[in-house]
mmCIF file of all heavy atoms in Angstrom:
data_model
loop_
_atom_site.group_PDB
_atom_site.id
_atom_site.type_symbol
_atom_site.label_atom_id
_atom_site.label_comp_id
_atom_site.label_asym_id
_atom_site.label_seq_id
_atom_site.Cartn_x
_atom_site.Cartn_y
_atom_site.Cartn_z
ATOM 1 N N GLY J 1315 56.143 102.389 25.052
ATOM 2 C CA GLY J 1315 56.711 103.020 23.729
ATOM 3 C C GLY J 1315 55.464 103.420 22.843
ATOM 4 O O GLY J 1315 55.733 103.887 21.797
ATOM 5 N N LEU J 1316 54.196 103.077 23.126
ATOM 6 C CA LEU J 1316 53.014 103.454 22.239
ATOM 7 C C LEU J 1316 51.924 103.893 23.103
ATOM 8 O O LEU J 1316 51.368 102.956 23.926
ATOM 9 C CB LEU J 1316 52.719 102.207 21.373
ATOM 10 C CG LEU J 1316 51.623 102.419 20.418
ATOM 11 C CD1 LEU J 1316 51.945 103.496 19.475
ATOM 12 C CD2 LEU J 1316 51.192 101.165 19.725
ATOM 13 N N SER J 1317 51.597 105.126 23.038
ATOM 14 C CA SER J 1317 50.465 105.697 23.900
ATOM 15 C C SER J 1317 49.625 106.603 23.047
ATOM 16 O O SER J 1317 50.057 107.210 21.904
ATOM 17 C CB SER J 1317 50.929 106.459 25.061
ATOM 18 O OG SER J 1317 51.744 107.528 24.667
ATOM 19 N N PHE J 1318 48.480 106.790 23.435
ATOM 20 C CA PHE J 1318 47.381 107.649 22.706
ATOM 21 C C PHE J 1318 46.529 108.410 23.669
ATOM 22 O O PHE J 1318 46.323 108.021 24.769
ATOM 23 C CB PHE J 1318 46.421 106.778 21.840
ATOM 24 C CG PHE J 1318 47.051 105.902 20.809
ATOM 25 C CD1 PHE J 1318 47.324 104.562 21.167
ATOM 26 C CD2 PHE J 1318 47.418 106.275 19.578
ATOM 27 C CE1 PHE J 1318 48.014 103.781 20.148
ATOM 28 C CE2 PHE J 1318 47.955 105.526 18.658
ATOM 29 C CZ PHE J 1318 48.288 104.108 18.947
ATOM 30 N N VAL J 1319 46.114 109.663 23.249
ATOM 31 C CA VAL J 1319 45.117 110.390 23.889
ATOM 32 C C VAL J 1319 44.030 110.420 22.898
ATOM 33 O O VAL J 1319 43.950 110.920 21.870
ATOM 34 C CB VAL J 1319 45.581 111.797 24.248
ATOM 35 C CG1 VAL J 1319 44.416 112.628 24.810
ATOM 36 C CG2 VAL J 1319 46.721 111.868 25.183
ATOM 37 N N LEU J 1320 42.847 109.771 23.317
ATOM 38 C CA LEU J 1320 41.532 109.561 22.409
ATOM 39 C C LEU J 1320 40.465 110.505 23.012
ATOM 40 O O LEU J 1320 40.243 110.469 24.303
ATOM 41 C CB LEU J 1320 41.266 108.075 22.545
ATOM 42 C CG LEU J 1320 42.293 107.062 22.058
ATOM 43 C CD1 LEU J 1320 41.755 105.635 22.155
ATOM 44 C CD2 LEU J 1320 42.904 107.358 20.772
ATOM 45 N N THR J 1321 39.902 111.151 22.121
ATOM 46 C CA THR J 1321 38.680 111.976 22.417
ATOM 47 C C THR J 1321 37.395 111.316 22.000
ATOM 48 O O THR J 1321 37.264 111.026 20.746
ATOM 49 C CB THR J 1321 38.787 113.318 21.847
ATOM 50 O OG1 THR J 1321 39.955 113.951 22.306
ATOM 51 C CG2 THR J 1321 37.604 114.181 22.255
ATOM 52 N N PHE J 1322 36.424 110.982 22.837
ATOM 53 C CA PHE J 1322 35.170 110.267 22.494
ATOM 54 C C PHE J 1322 34.088 111.366 22.128
ATOM 55 O O PHE J 1322 34.254 112.634 22.222
ATOM 56 C CB PHE J 1322 34.672 109.497 23.800
ATOM 57 C CG PHE J 1322 35.505 108.352 23.954
ATOM 58 C CD1 PHE J 1322 36.798 108.459 24.544
ATOM 59 C CD2 PHE J 1322 34.988 107.112 23.739
ATOM 60 C CE1 PHE J 1322 37.549 107.262 24.750
ATOM 61 C CE2 PHE J 1322 35.694 105.847 23.895
ATOM 62 C CZ PHE J 1322 36.978 106.029 24.480
ATOM 63 N N GLU J 1323 33.100 110.909 21.648
ATOM 64 C CA GLU J 1323 31.855 111.754 21.240
ATOM 65 C C GLU J 1323 31.235 112.452 22.497
ATOM 66 O O GLU J 1323 30.767 113.499 22.390
ATOM 67 C CB GLU J 1323 30.894 111.007 20.281
ATOM 68 C CG GLU J 1323 31.477 110.590 19.051
ATOM 69 C CD GLU J 1323 30.569 109.781 18.167
ATOM 70 O OE1 GLU J 1323 29.498 109.306 18.579
ATOM 71 O OE2 GLU J 1323 30.746 109.677 17.051
ATOM 72 N N THR J 1324 31.112 111.639 23.559
ATOM 73 C CA THR J 1324 30.348 112.185 24.721
ATOM 74 C C THR J 1324 31.168 111.739 25.869
ATOM 75 O O THR J 1324 31.923 110.757 25.864
ATOM 76 C CB THR J 1324 29.023 111.422 24.813
ATOM 77 O OG1 THR J 1324 29.019 110.119 25.044
ATOM 78 C CG2 THR J 1324 28.024 111.874 23.659
ATOM 79 N N GLU J 1325 30.791 112.407 27.055
ATOM 80 C CA GLU J 1325 31.566 112.098 28.393
ATOM 81 C C GLU J 1325 31.146 110.663 28.825
ATOM 82 O O GLU J 1325 31.964 109.967 29.442
ATOM 83 C CB GLU J 1325 31.145 113.070 29.386
ATOM 84 C CG GLU J 1325 31.643 114.431 29.287
ATOM 85 C CD GLU J 1325 30.759 115.238 28.298
ATOM 86 O OE1 GLU J 1325 29.737 114.757 27.773
ATOM 87 O OE2 GLU J 1325 31.065 116.542 28.058
ATOM 88 N N ARG J 1326 29.760 110.293 28.649
ATOM 89 C CA ARG J 1326 29.286 109.037 28.997
ATOM 90 C C ARG J 1326 30.080 107.869 28.294
ATOM 91 O O ARG J 1326 30.455 106.837 28.860
ATOM 92 C CB ARG J 1326 27.817 108.842 28.687
ATOM 93 C CG ARG J 1326 27.229 107.619 29.319
ATOM 94 C CD ARG J 1326 25.721 107.521 29.110
ATOM 95 N NE ARG J 1326 25.384 107.314 27.820
ATOM 96 C CZ ARG J 1326 24.129 106.843 27.327
ATOM 97 N NH1 ARG J 1326 23.149 106.573 28.265
ATOM 98 N NH2 ARG J 1326 23.989 106.517 26.065
ATOM 99 N N GLU J 1327 30.270 107.945 26.999
ATOM 100 C CA GLU J 1327 31.082 106.884 26.298
ATOM 101 C C GLU J 1327 32.509 106.771 26.850
ATOM 102 O O GLU J 1327 33.157 105.696 26.924
ATOM 103 C CB GLU J 1327 31.072 107.202 24.866
ATOM 104 C CG GLU J 1327 29.661 107.057 24.118
ATOM 105 C CD GLU J 1327 29.759 107.238 22.652
ATOM 106 O OE1 GLU J 1327 30.895 107.590 22.203
ATOM 107 O OE2 GLU J 1327 28.857 107.133 21.878
#
Side-chain angles (χ1 to χ4, degrees):
L1316 181 62
S1317 61
F1318 302 93
V1319 173
L1320 307 178
T1321 302
F1322 288 72
E1323 293 180 347
T1324 62
E1325 294 85 354
R1326 187 178 72 163
E1327 289 185 356

